[in-house]
Amino acid sequence: MHTTHTELGINSIAELVKQQRVFFKTNATKSIDFRVTQLKALKSSITQYEVQMLAALHQDLGKSDAEAFLTEIAITKQEIDNALKHLKKWTAPQRVKTPLQLQPAQSYRIAEPYGVVLVVAPWNYPIQLALLPIVGVIAAGNTVVLKPSEVASASSKVLKEMLVNTFEENFVAVVEGGIEEAKALMSERFDYIFFTGSTHVGQIYYQAAAKHLTPVTLELGGKSPCIVEADANLKKTAERIIFGKYLNCGQTCIAPDYLLVNQKVKKELIAELKNAVEKMYTQNSATCEWYPRIINEHHFNRLIALIEPEKVIYGGTFDQSKLYIAPTFMDNVAKEDAVMREEIFGPILPIITVDNVTEAIDFINEGEKPLALYIFSKSQQIINQVFEATSFGSACVNDTIIQISNKNLPFGGVGKSGIGSYHGRYSFETFSHYKSIMKQASFEPTSRFRFAPWNYKLLRQIFKYL
Ligand code: NAD
Protein backbone atom coordinates (compact mmCIF):
# COMPACT_ATOMS: atom_id res chain seq x y z
CA MET A 1 0.00 0.00 0.00
CA HIS A 2 1.25 3.49 -0.85
CA THR A 3 1.00 5.51 2.28
CA THR A 4 0.68 9.25 2.63
CA HIS A 5 0.79 11.09 5.92
CA THR A 6 -1.76 13.79 5.93
CA GLU A 7 -3.72 16.06 8.20
CA LEU A 8 -6.86 14.12 7.42
CA GLY A 9 -5.18 10.89 8.35
CA ILE A 10 -5.57 9.68 4.81
CA ASN A 11 -3.18 6.75 4.59
CA SER A 12 -3.31 5.54 1.03
CA ILE A 13 -3.46 7.05 -2.43
CA ALA A 14 -6.68 5.16 -3.10
CA GLU A 15 -8.23 6.63 0.04
CA LEU A 16 -7.00 10.11 -0.87
CA VAL A 17 -8.66 10.00 -4.28
CA LYS A 18 -11.82 8.62 -2.69
CA GLN A 19 -11.94 11.42 -0.10
CA GLN A 20 -11.42 14.04 -2.81
CA ARG A 21 -14.31 12.58 -4.78
CA VAL A 22 -16.52 12.64 -1.68
CA PHE A 23 -15.61 16.30 -1.14
CA PHE A 24 -16.14 17.17 -4.81
CA LYS A 25 -19.61 15.65 -4.65
CA THR A 26 -20.58 18.02 -1.85
CA ASN A 27 -20.43 20.73 -4.58
CA ALA A 28 -18.40 22.97 -2.25
CA THR A 29 -15.71 23.54 -4.91
CA LYS A 30 -18.27 24.79 -7.41
CA SER A 31 -19.20 27.99 -5.60
CA ILE A 32 -17.49 31.05 -7.03
CA ASP A 33 -16.82 32.37 -3.52
CA PHE A 34 -15.01 29.16 -2.64
CA ARG A 35 -12.84 29.36 -5.78
CA VAL A 36 -11.98 33.01 -5.13
CA THR A 37 -11.09 32.30 -1.49
CA GLN A 38 -8.83 29.39 -2.47
CA LEU A 39 -7.07 31.30 -5.24
CA LYS A 40 -6.40 34.17 -2.85
CA ALA A 41 -5.13 31.70 -0.25
CA LEU A 42 -2.75 30.23 -2.84
CA LYS A 43 -1.44 33.66 -3.76
CA SER A 44 -0.80 34.67 -0.18
CA SER A 45 0.92 31.34 0.53
CA ILE A 46 3.22 31.88 -2.45
CA THR A 47 4.18 35.24 -0.93
CA GLN A 48 4.70 33.60 2.45
CA TYR A 49 6.83 30.78 1.05
CA GLU A 50 8.65 32.87 -1.57
CA VAL A 51 12.00 32.89 0.22
CA GLN A 52 11.88 29.12 0.76
CA MET A 53 10.91 28.53 -2.84
CA LEU A 54 13.75 30.70 -4.14
CA ALA A 55 16.18 28.83 -1.89
CA ALA A 56 14.87 25.47 -3.12
CA LEU A 57 15.19 26.53 -6.76
CA HIS A 58 18.75 27.59 -6.07
CA GLN A 59 19.47 24.26 -4.44
CA ASP A 60 17.86 22.20 -7.22
CA LEU A 61 19.02 24.12 -10.29
CA GLY A 62 21.38 26.87 -9.17
CA LYS A 63 18.83 29.43 -10.34
CA SER A 64 19.47 33.00 -9.24
CA ASP A 65 16.70 34.68 -7.24
CA ALA A 66 16.10 37.05 -10.16
CA GLU A 67 15.60 34.26 -12.69
CA ALA A 68 13.53 32.14 -10.29
CA PHE A 69 11.33 35.11 -9.42
CA LEU A 70 10.77 35.98 -13.07
CA THR A 71 10.10 32.49 -14.41
CA GLU A 72 8.50 30.70 -11.46
CA ILE A 73 7.00 33.09 -8.91
CA ALA A 74 5.88 36.19 -10.82
CA ILE A 75 4.31 34.24 -13.69
CA THR A 76 2.31 32.11 -11.22
CA LYS A 77 1.02 35.12 -9.28
CA GLN A 78 0.02 36.82 -12.53
CA GLU A 79 -1.93 33.72 -13.50
CA ILE A 80 -3.81 33.85 -10.19
CA ASP A 81 -4.57 37.58 -10.59
CA ASN A 82 -5.85 36.97 -14.09
CA ALA A 83 -8.11 34.13 -12.94
CA LEU A 84 -9.49 36.25 -10.08
CA LYS A 85 -10.18 39.12 -12.46
CA HIS A 86 -12.06 37.07 -15.02
CA LEU A 87 -13.60 34.22 -13.03
CA LYS A 88 -17.14 35.63 -13.08
CA LYS A 89 -17.07 35.99 -16.84
CA TRP A 90 -15.50 32.58 -17.40
CA THR A 91 -18.05 30.80 -15.23
CA ALA A 92 -21.12 32.54 -16.69
CA PRO A 93 -23.27 30.49 -19.10
CA GLN A 94 -22.26 31.28 -22.70
CA ARG A 95 -25.11 32.02 -25.08
CA VAL A 96 -24.56 30.67 -28.57
CA LYS A 97 -26.54 31.40 -31.73
CA THR A 98 -29.56 29.26 -32.56
CA PRO A 99 -30.16 28.64 -36.30
CA LEU A 100 -33.31 30.10 -37.78
CA GLN A 101 -35.19 26.79 -38.19
CA LEU A 102 -34.75 26.05 -34.46
CA GLN A 103 -35.84 29.46 -33.21
CA PRO A 104 -37.28 30.71 -30.90
CA ALA A 105 -35.35 28.08 -28.86
CA GLN A 106 -32.27 29.31 -27.00
CA SER A 107 -28.88 27.65 -26.80
CA TYR A 108 -26.00 27.97 -24.38
CA ARG A 109 -22.98 26.25 -22.84
CA ILE A 110 -22.36 25.80 -19.15
CA ALA A 111 -18.88 25.08 -17.79
CA GLU A 112 -18.70 22.43 -15.09
CA PRO A 113 -15.62 21.08 -13.33
CA TYR A 114 -14.53 17.57 -14.24
CA GLY A 115 -14.00 16.46 -10.63
CA VAL A 116 -10.76 15.03 -9.25
CA VAL A 117 -7.72 16.07 -11.29
CA LEU A 118 -4.22 14.59 -11.31
CA VAL A 119 -1.41 17.07 -12.08
CA VAL A 120 2.03 15.57 -12.74
CA ALA A 121 4.91 18.05 -12.90
CA PRO A 122 8.49 17.91 -14.25
CA TRP A 123 11.69 19.13 -12.58
CA ASN A 124 12.81 21.98 -14.85
CA TYR A 125 10.42 24.71 -13.66
CA PRO A 126 9.31 22.71 -10.63
CA ILE A 127 7.27 25.47 -8.98
CA GLN A 128 5.68 27.13 -12.01
CA LEU A 129 4.77 23.91 -13.79
CA ALA A 130 3.16 22.51 -10.64
CA LEU A 131 1.24 25.62 -9.60
CA LEU A 132 0.14 27.11 -12.93
CA PRO A 133 -2.09 24.13 -13.78
CA ILE A 134 -3.44 24.16 -10.22
CA VAL A 135 -4.64 27.75 -10.70
CA GLY A 136 -6.77 26.54 -13.62
CA VAL A 137 -7.91 23.47 -11.67
CA ILE A 138 -9.17 25.61 -8.79
CA ALA A 139 -10.64 28.33 -11.02
CA ALA A 140 -12.66 25.67 -12.82
CA GLY A 141 -13.93 24.19 -9.53
CA ASN A 142 -12.09 20.84 -9.33
CA THR A 143 -10.05 19.15 -6.63
CA VAL A 144 -6.44 18.17 -7.33
CA VAL A 145 -3.74 15.69 -6.46
CA LEU A 146 -0.31 17.02 -7.42
CA LYS A 147 2.70 14.82 -8.02
CA PRO A 148 5.77 17.06 -8.21
CA SER A 149 8.98 15.74 -9.70
CA GLU A 150 11.19 13.87 -7.26
CA VAL A 151 14.18 15.03 -9.31
CA ALA A 152 13.83 18.64 -8.05
CA SER A 153 13.60 17.36 -4.49
CA ALA A 154 14.01 20.64 -2.60
CA SER A 155 11.25 22.31 -4.64
CA SER A 156 9.01 19.26 -4.20
CA LYS A 157 9.44 19.50 -0.43
CA VAL A 158 8.55 23.21 -0.27
CA LEU A 159 5.56 22.70 -2.56
CA LYS A 160 4.28 19.96 -0.29
CA GLU A 161 4.76 22.02 2.86
CA MET A 162 3.11 25.08 1.35
CA LEU A 163 0.10 23.27 -0.09
CA VAL A 164 -0.49 21.10 2.99
CA ASN A 165 -0.47 24.26 5.12
CA THR A 166 -2.82 26.09 2.76
CA PHE A 167 -5.49 23.57 1.79
CA GLU A 168 -7.45 20.67 3.16
CA GLU A 169 -6.17 17.47 1.65
CA ASN A 170 -9.54 16.46 0.29
CA PHE A 171 -9.28 19.56 -1.93
CA VAL A 172 -5.58 19.99 -2.81
CA ALA A 173 -3.16 17.18 -1.99
CA VAL A 174 0.47 16.48 -2.79
CA VAL A 175 1.93 13.04 -3.32
CA GLU A 176 5.70 13.26 -3.44
CA GLY A 177 7.73 10.49 -5.00
CA GLY A 178 8.94 8.85 -8.17
CA ILE A 179 7.83 6.04 -10.42
CA GLU A 180 6.37 3.85 -7.65
CA GLU A 181 4.07 6.60 -6.39
CA ALA A 182 3.27 7.63 -9.97
CA LYS A 183 2.21 4.07 -10.76
CA ALA A 184 -0.04 3.98 -7.70
CA LEU A 185 -1.62 7.26 -8.84
CA MET A 186 -2.05 6.00 -12.39
CA SER A 187 -3.92 2.95 -11.16
CA GLU A 188 -6.61 5.25 -9.69
CA ARG A 189 -9.50 6.68 -11.64
CA PHE A 190 -9.17 10.46 -12.10
CA ASP A 191 -11.59 12.72 -13.93
CA TYR A 192 -8.77 14.58 -15.70
CA ILE A 193 -5.02 14.04 -16.04
CA PHE A 194 -2.70 16.97 -16.72
CA PHE A 195 0.85 15.83 -17.37
CA THR A 196 3.95 17.89 -18.10
CA GLY A 197 7.13 16.01 -18.96
CA SER A 198 8.80 13.95 -21.62
CA THR A 199 7.03 12.48 -24.63
CA HIS A 200 7.90 8.93 -23.61
CA VAL A 201 6.43 9.25 -20.10
CA GLY A 202 3.47 11.19 -21.49
CA GLN A 203 2.60 8.10 -23.51
CA ILE A 204 2.51 6.05 -20.28
CA TYR A 205 -0.04 8.48 -18.76
CA TYR A 206 -2.06 8.49 -21.97
CA GLN A 207 -2.30 4.72 -21.78
CA ALA A 208 -3.32 4.80 -18.12
CA ALA A 209 -5.96 7.45 -18.92
CA ALA A 210 -7.38 5.34 -21.76
CA LYS A 211 -8.46 2.67 -19.29
CA HIS A 212 -11.16 5.00 -17.91
CA LEU A 213 -11.44 7.28 -20.97
CA THR A 214 -10.06 10.03 -18.75
CA PRO A 215 -9.43 13.23 -20.71
CA VAL A 216 -5.82 14.44 -20.73
CA THR A 217 -3.61 17.37 -21.40
CA LEU A 218 -0.07 16.31 -22.27
CA GLU A 219 2.50 19.09 -22.20
CA LEU A 220 5.52 17.39 -23.74
CA GLY A 221 8.87 18.25 -25.28
CA GLY A 222 10.84 17.84 -28.47
CA LYS A 223 13.37 19.69 -30.57
CA SER A 224 12.31 23.30 -31.14
CA PRO A 225 14.05 24.77 -34.21
CA CYS A 226 15.20 28.34 -34.60
CA ILE A 227 15.59 29.70 -38.13
CA VAL A 228 17.85 32.69 -38.76
CA GLU A 229 17.36 34.24 -42.20
CA ALA A 230 19.93 36.39 -43.98
CA ASP A 231 17.91 39.60 -43.50
CA ALA A 232 17.67 39.32 -39.69
CA ASN A 233 19.12 41.95 -37.36
CA LEU A 234 21.97 39.76 -36.14
CA LYS A 235 22.85 41.56 -32.91
CA LYS A 236 19.26 41.49 -31.65
CA THR A 237 18.79 37.95 -32.97
CA ALA A 238 21.84 36.72 -31.07
CA GLU A 239 20.75 38.34 -27.80
CA ARG A 240 17.29 36.88 -28.04
CA ILE A 241 18.55 33.41 -28.93
CA ILE A 242 21.02 33.43 -26.05
CA PHE A 243 18.29 34.61 -23.66
CA GLY A 244 16.03 31.69 -24.65
CA LYS A 245 18.75 29.08 -24.85
CA TYR A 246 20.50 29.84 -21.57
CA LEU A 247 17.55 30.62 -19.36
CA ASN A 248 17.60 27.77 -16.84
CA CYS A 249 20.80 26.60 -18.56
CA GLY A 250 18.88 25.32 -21.57
CA GLN A 251 16.58 23.16 -19.44
CA THR A 252 13.46 24.77 -20.85
CA CYS A 253 10.88 22.87 -22.88
CA ILE A 254 10.55 25.70 -25.42
CA ALA A 255 14.25 26.65 -25.55
CA PRO A 256 15.57 26.95 -29.11
CA ASP A 257 17.05 23.46 -29.42
CA TYR A 258 19.12 24.06 -32.57
CA LEU A 259 19.74 26.78 -35.15
CA LEU A 260 19.06 26.63 -38.88
CA VAL A 261 21.17 29.52 -40.11
CA ASN A 262 21.39 30.95 -43.60
CA GLN A 263 25.01 30.39 -44.69
CA LYS A 264 25.34 34.04 -45.77
CA VAL A 265 25.18 35.28 -42.17
CA LYS A 266 26.49 32.33 -40.19
CA LYS A 267 29.93 33.75 -39.44
CA GLU A 268 28.59 37.08 -38.28
CA LEU A 269 25.82 35.47 -36.25
CA ILE A 270 28.28 33.22 -34.40
CA ALA A 271 30.38 36.27 -33.47
CA GLU A 272 27.26 38.00 -32.15
CA LEU A 273 26.16 34.88 -30.25
CA LYS A 274 29.52 34.83 -28.45
CA ASN A 275 29.20 38.53 -27.63
CA ALA A 276 25.71 37.99 -26.28
CA VAL A 277 26.78 35.09 -24.02
CA GLU A 278 29.59 37.16 -22.58
CA LYS A 279 27.36 40.19 -22.10
CA MET A 280 24.80 38.15 -20.17
CA TYR A 281 26.99 35.59 -18.38
CA THR A 282 30.48 37.18 -18.51
CA GLN A 283 33.53 35.53 -20.09
CA ASN A 284 33.50 32.93 -17.34
CA SER A 285 29.97 31.66 -16.81
CA ALA A 286 31.32 29.20 -14.19
CA THR A 287 31.56 32.08 -11.74
CA CYS A 288 28.58 34.07 -12.97
CA GLU A 289 25.71 34.23 -10.48
CA TRP A 290 23.12 34.31 -13.28
CA TYR A 291 24.18 31.02 -14.86
CA PRO A 292 22.30 27.96 -13.52
CA ARG A 293 23.45 24.36 -13.14
CA ILE A 294 22.41 21.02 -14.62
CA ILE A 295 19.78 19.31 -12.49
CA ASN A 296 21.75 16.11 -11.67
CA GLU A 297 24.58 13.79 -12.65
CA HIS A 298 22.42 11.68 -14.91
CA HIS A 299 21.55 14.67 -17.11
CA PHE A 300 25.09 16.06 -16.81
CA ASN A 301 26.52 12.81 -18.21
CA ARG A 302 23.84 12.61 -20.88
CA LEU A 303 24.72 16.15 -22.05
CA ILE A 304 28.48 15.66 -21.98
CA ALA A 305 28.03 12.62 -24.23
CA LEU A 306 26.29 14.84 -26.80
CA ILE A 307 29.29 17.15 -27.14
CA GLU A 308 31.59 16.22 -30.03
CA PRO A 309 34.82 18.12 -29.23
CA GLU A 310 35.86 18.46 -32.88
CA LYS A 311 32.61 20.31 -33.62
CA VAL A 312 32.78 22.68 -30.65
CA ILE A 313 33.43 26.28 -31.71
CA TYR A 314 32.71 27.91 -28.35
CA GLY A 315 32.60 26.67 -24.75
CA GLY A 316 32.75 22.92 -24.38
CA THR A 317 34.15 23.03 -20.85
CA PHE A 318 32.47 21.47 -17.83
CA ASP A 319 32.94 20.61 -14.17
CA GLN A 320 31.16 17.52 -12.92
CA SER A 321 31.61 18.37 -9.24
CA LYS A 322 29.57 21.55 -9.77
CA LEU A 323 27.23 20.14 -12.46
CA TYR A 324 28.43 23.02 -14.61
CA ILE A 325 28.51 22.96 -18.41
CA ALA A 326 29.62 26.11 -20.23
CA PRO A 327 27.48 27.64 -22.97
CA THR A 328 28.60 25.47 -25.88
CA PHE A 329 28.15 26.02 -29.61
CA MET A 330 28.68 23.21 -32.08
CA ASP A 331 29.13 23.94 -35.79
CA ASN A 332 28.78 21.80 -38.91
CA VAL A 333 26.32 19.59 -37.13
CA ALA A 334 24.55 16.92 -39.18
CA LYS A 335 21.12 15.40 -38.70
CA GLU A 336 22.70 12.04 -37.82
CA ASP A 337 24.78 13.45 -34.93
CA ALA A 338 23.82 12.37 -31.39
CA VAL A 339 23.01 15.98 -30.47
CA MET A 340 20.32 16.04 -33.17
CA ARG A 341 18.74 12.71 -32.26
CA GLU A 342 17.18 13.76 -28.92
CA GLU A 343 15.85 16.86 -27.20
CA ILE A 344 19.01 18.54 -25.86
CA PHE A 345 17.55 20.16 -22.72
CA GLY A 346 20.87 21.74 -21.80
CA PRO A 347 23.36 24.46 -22.78
CA ILE A 348 24.53 22.96 -26.10
CA LEU A 349 23.60 24.91 -29.22
CA PRO A 350 24.06 23.03 -32.53
CA ILE A 351 24.34 25.18 -35.64
CA ILE A 352 23.09 23.80 -38.92
CA THR A 353 23.78 25.70 -42.12
CA VAL A 354 21.14 26.09 -44.80
CA ASP A 355 21.16 27.85 -48.16
CA ASN A 356 17.62 29.16 -47.94
CA VAL A 357 14.41 29.00 -45.95
CA THR A 358 12.97 26.14 -48.02
CA GLU A 359 15.87 23.98 -46.89
CA ALA A 360 15.16 24.96 -43.28
CA ILE A 361 11.48 24.07 -43.68
CA ASP A 362 12.33 20.68 -45.20
CA PHE A 363 14.72 19.99 -42.32
CA ILE A 364 12.02 20.77 -39.75
CA ASN A 365 9.37 18.75 -41.53
CA GLU A 366 11.55 15.65 -41.55
CA GLY A 367 11.32 15.59 -37.74
CA GLU A 368 8.44 15.46 -35.27
CA LYS A 369 6.16 18.48 -34.87
CA PRO A 370 7.99 20.76 -32.40
CA LEU A 371 6.63 22.39 -29.25
CA ALA A 372 7.99 25.77 -30.37
CA LEU A 373 9.39 27.29 -33.53
CA TYR A 374 11.41 30.47 -33.87
CA ILE A 375 12.06 32.52 -36.98
CA PHE A 376 14.25 35.58 -37.23
CA SER A 377 13.59 37.56 -40.40
CA LYS A 378 12.36 40.95 -41.53
CA SER A 379 10.48 39.47 -44.47
CA GLN A 380 6.78 38.81 -43.89
CA GLN A 381 6.83 36.67 -46.99
CA ILE A 382 9.47 34.37 -45.53
CA ILE A 383 7.65 34.25 -42.19
CA ASN A 384 4.39 33.33 -43.93
CA GLN A 385 6.18 30.67 -45.95
CA VAL A 386 7.50 29.07 -42.75
CA PHE A 387 4.15 29.19 -40.95
CA GLU A 388 2.24 27.78 -43.90
CA ALA A 389 4.61 24.88 -44.31
CA THR A 390 5.22 23.80 -40.71
CA SER A 391 3.23 22.62 -37.70
CA PHE A 392 4.19 23.48 -34.10
CA GLY A 393 2.68 24.29 -30.71
CA SER A 394 3.67 27.96 -30.50
CA ALA A 395 5.99 30.27 -32.36
CA CYS A 396 7.69 33.57 -31.84
CA VAL A 397 8.89 35.83 -34.63
CA ASN A 398 12.13 37.67 -33.94
CA ASP A 399 12.38 36.49 -30.32
CA THR A 400 12.36 33.28 -28.27
CA ILE A 401 10.43 31.95 -25.25
CA ILE A 402 8.38 35.08 -24.51
CA GLN A 403 5.28 33.87 -26.34
CA ILE A 404 4.69 31.73 -23.23
CA SER A 405 4.17 34.83 -21.08
CA ASN A 406 1.18 36.13 -23.04
CA LYS A 407 -1.78 34.75 -21.10
CA ASN A 408 -4.02 35.33 -24.14
CA LEU A 409 -2.11 32.73 -26.17
CA PRO A 410 -2.87 29.09 -25.35
CA PHE A 411 0.29 27.13 -24.58
CA GLY A 412 0.68 23.53 -25.71
CA GLY A 413 2.11 21.19 -28.30
CA VAL A 414 0.95 19.14 -31.26
CA GLY A 415 1.75 15.57 -32.30
CA LYS A 416 4.60 14.27 -30.15
CA SER A 417 5.03 17.65 -28.44
CA GLY A 418 1.66 17.36 -26.76
CA ILE A 419 -2.11 17.29 -26.64
CA GLY A 420 -4.20 20.24 -25.43
CA SER A 421 -3.14 23.60 -24.09
CA TYR A 422 -3.51 25.92 -21.10
CA HIS A 423 -2.71 29.36 -19.58
CA GLY A 424 -5.16 32.11 -18.70
CA ARG A 425 -8.67 31.50 -19.95
CA TYR A 426 -7.50 28.37 -21.77
CA SER A 427 -6.62 26.78 -18.40
CA PHE A 428 -10.14 27.37 -17.19
CA GLU A 429 -11.46 25.79 -20.38
CA THR A 430 -9.04 22.88 -20.11
CA PHE A 431 -10.28 21.93 -16.66
CA SER A 432 -13.95 22.48 -17.50
CA HIS A 433 -16.39 20.28 -19.32
CA TYR A 434 -18.84 22.37 -21.32
CA LYS A 435 -22.41 21.12 -21.19
CA SER A 436 -24.31 22.03 -24.36
CA ILE A 437 -27.88 22.98 -23.64
CA MET A 438 -30.81 23.96 -25.80
CA LYS A 439 -34.02 25.32 -24.31
CA GLN A 440 -37.03 24.68 -26.48
CA ALA A 441 -39.85 27.20 -26.63
CA SER A 442 -43.44 26.11 -26.17
CA PHE A 443 -44.33 27.51 -29.61
CA GLU A 444 -42.20 25.82 -32.25
CA PRO A 445 -43.13 26.85 -35.80
CA THR A 446 -41.22 24.04 -37.52
CA SER A 447 -42.65 21.14 -35.53
CA ARG A 448 -45.11 20.19 -38.21
CA PHE A 449 -42.20 19.48 -40.57
CA ARG A 450 -40.23 17.28 -38.23
CA PHE A 451 -42.97 15.12 -36.80
CA ALA A 452 -44.41 12.21 -38.79
CA PRO A 453 -46.39 11.89 -40.91
CA TRP A 454 -43.78 13.54 -43.14
CA ASN A 455 -44.21 15.30 -46.41
CA TYR A 456 -40.94 14.08 -47.87
CA LYS A 457 -41.04 16.32 -50.93
CA LEU A 458 -41.70 19.45 -48.88
CA LEU A 459 -39.00 18.44 -46.39
CA ARG A 460 -36.41 18.28 -49.17
CA GLN A 461 -37.57 21.65 -50.50
CA ILE A 462 -37.14 23.25 -47.06
CA PHE A 463 -33.65 21.85 -46.61
CA LYS A 464 -32.59 23.45 -49.86
CA TYR A 465 -32.97 26.82 -48.15
CA LEU A 466 -31.35 26.00 -44.80
P1 NAD B 1 9.71 13.12 -17.14
O1 NAD B 1 8.74 12.69 -18.17
O2 NAD B 1 10.87 12.26 -16.85
O3 NAD B 1 8.95 13.29 -15.71
C1 NAD B 1 7.76 14.03 -15.57
C2 NAD B 1 6.98 13.48 -14.38
O4 NAD B 1 6.64 12.13 -14.64
C3 NAD B 1 7.74 13.51 -13.07
O5 NAD B 1 6.85 13.89 -12.04
C4 NAD B 1 8.19 12.07 -12.90
O6 NAD B 1 8.29 11.68 -11.56
C5 NAD B 1 7.09 11.28 -13.58
N1 NAD B 1 7.58 10.04 -14.17
C6 NAD B 1 8.81 9.80 -14.71
N2 NAD B 1 8.88 8.54 -15.19
C7 NAD B 1 7.68 7.98 -14.94
C8 NAD B 1 7.12 6.68 -15.22
N3 NAD B 1 7.85 5.73 -15.80
N4 NAD B 1 5.85 6.44 -14.84
C9 NAD B 1 5.12 7.41 -14.24
N5 NAD B 1 5.58 8.64 -13.96
C10 NAD B 1 6.84 8.92 -14.29
O7 NAD B 1 10.12 14.58 -17.54
P2 NAD B 1 11.19 15.51 -16.82
O8 NAD B 1 12.55 14.93 -17.06
O9 NAD B 1 10.78 15.84 -15.43
O10 NAD B 1 11.04 16.85 -17.68
C11 NAD B 1 11.69 17.06 -18.88
C12 NAD B 1 10.78 16.88 -20.07
O11 NAD B 1 9.59 17.61 -19.88
C13 NAD B 1 11.38 17.46 -21.35
O12 NAD B 1 11.08 16.58 -22.41
C14 NAD B 1 10.67 18.77 -21.54
O13 NAD B 1 10.61 19.23 -22.86
C15 NAD B 1 9.33 18.44 -21.00
N6 NAD B 1 8.65 19.66 -20.55
C16 NAD B 1 7.56 20.09 -21.24
C17 NAD B 1 6.94 21.25 -20.83
C18 NAD B 1 5.73 21.77 -21.53
O14 NAD B 1 5.09 22.67 -20.99
N7 NAD B 1 5.37 21.27 -22.70
C19 NAD B 1 7.43 21.95 -19.74
C20 NAD B 1 8.54 21.47 -19.08
C21 NAD B 1 9.14 20.32 -19.49
Side-chain angles (χ1 to χ4, degrees), residues 77-122:
K77 283 184 161 180
Q78 277 181 339
E79 183 83 350
I80 297 175
D81 287 341
N82 187 52
L84 286 168
K85 192 167 160 201
H86 298 292
L87 197 57
K88 261 219 164 107
K89 199 166 105 201
W90 293 348
T91 50
Q94 293 171 10
R95 281 284 291 270
V96 300
K97 283 186 184 161
T98 304
L100 194 63
Q101 77 273 19
L102 296 172
Q103 285 183 14
Q106 293 176 354
S107 312
Y108 50 97
R109 304 166 80 215
I110 295 183
E112 68 168 1
Y114 279 102
V116 183
V117 178
L118 172 64
V119 170
V120 181

Side-chain angles (χ1 to χ4, degrees), residues 10 12-30 112-120 133-134 136-138 140-147 168-175 184-195 205 209 212-217 430-433:
I10 298 170
S12 77
I13 285 173
E15 184 62 18
L16 177 65
V17 175
K18 197 169 138 202
Q19 295 260 3
Q20 287 214 347
R21 190 153 284 120
V22 168
F23 181 60
F24 178 73
K25 285 189 174 164
T26 66
N27 288 331
T29 61
K30 293 185 184 171
E112 68 168 1
Y114 279 102
V116 183
V117 178
L118 172 64
V119 170
V120 181
I134 290 181
V137 166
I138 296 176
N142 302 275
T143 72
V144 60
V145 177
L146 166 70
K147 198 203 85 60
E168 296 291 344
E169 211 138 13
N170 55 4
F171 173 51
V172 176
V174 182
V175 173
L185 284 166
M186 279 191 287
S187 69
E188 294 303 319
R189 179 174 185 167
F190 286 91
D191 302 302
Y192 200 96
I193 296 178
F194 185 101
F195 170 84
Y205 282 87
H212 299 295
L213 287 181
T214 302
V216 294
T217 298
T430 286
F431 294 112
S432 297
H433 163 65

Side-chain angles (χ1 to χ4, degrees), residues 121 123-124 129 147 150 182 196-198 205 219-221 253 343 411:
W123 53 260
N124 61 329
L129 296 175
K147 198 203 85 60
E150 75 286 14
T196 307
S198 59
Y205 282 87
E219 294 282 340
L220 311 176
C253 56
E343 179 184 5
F411 176 70

Side-chain angles (χ1 to χ4, degrees), residues 202-229:
Q203 287 171 321
I204 298 174
Y205 282 87
Y206 203 17
Q207 262 174 353
K211 197 166 62 191
H212 299 295
L213 287 181
T214 302
V216 294
T217 298
L218 302 175
E219 294 282 340
L220 311 176
K223 289 181 86 63
S224 297
C226 178
I227 303 172
V228 182
E229 256 310 296

Side-chain angles (χ1 to χ4, degrees), residues 85 274 324 442:
K85 192 167 160 201
K274 290 176 186 170
Y324 163 81
S442 62

Side-chain angles (χ1 to χ4, degrees), residues 150-191:
E150 75 286 14
V151 176
S153 57
S155 303
S156 173
K157 198 159 160 261
V158 183
L159 274 170
K160 167 113 187 176
E161 193 187 321
M162 179 180 82
L163 294 173
V164 163
N165 287 334
T166 312
F167 300 110
E168 296 291 344
E169 211 138 13
N170 55 4
F171 173 51
V172 176
V174 182
V175 173
E176 283 191 278
I179 292 178
E180 200 196 334
E181 288 74 12
K183 278 191 178 149
L185 284 166
M186 279 191 287
S187 69
E188 294 303 319
R189 179 174 185 167
F190 286 91
D191 302 302

Side-chain angles (χ1 to χ4, degrees), residues 315-331:
T317 55
F318 46 84
D319 178 348
Q320 181 155 20
S321 69
K322 298 196 170 91
L323 296 176
Y324 163 81
I325 302 178
T328 298
F329 307 162
M330 282 166 64
D331 195 7

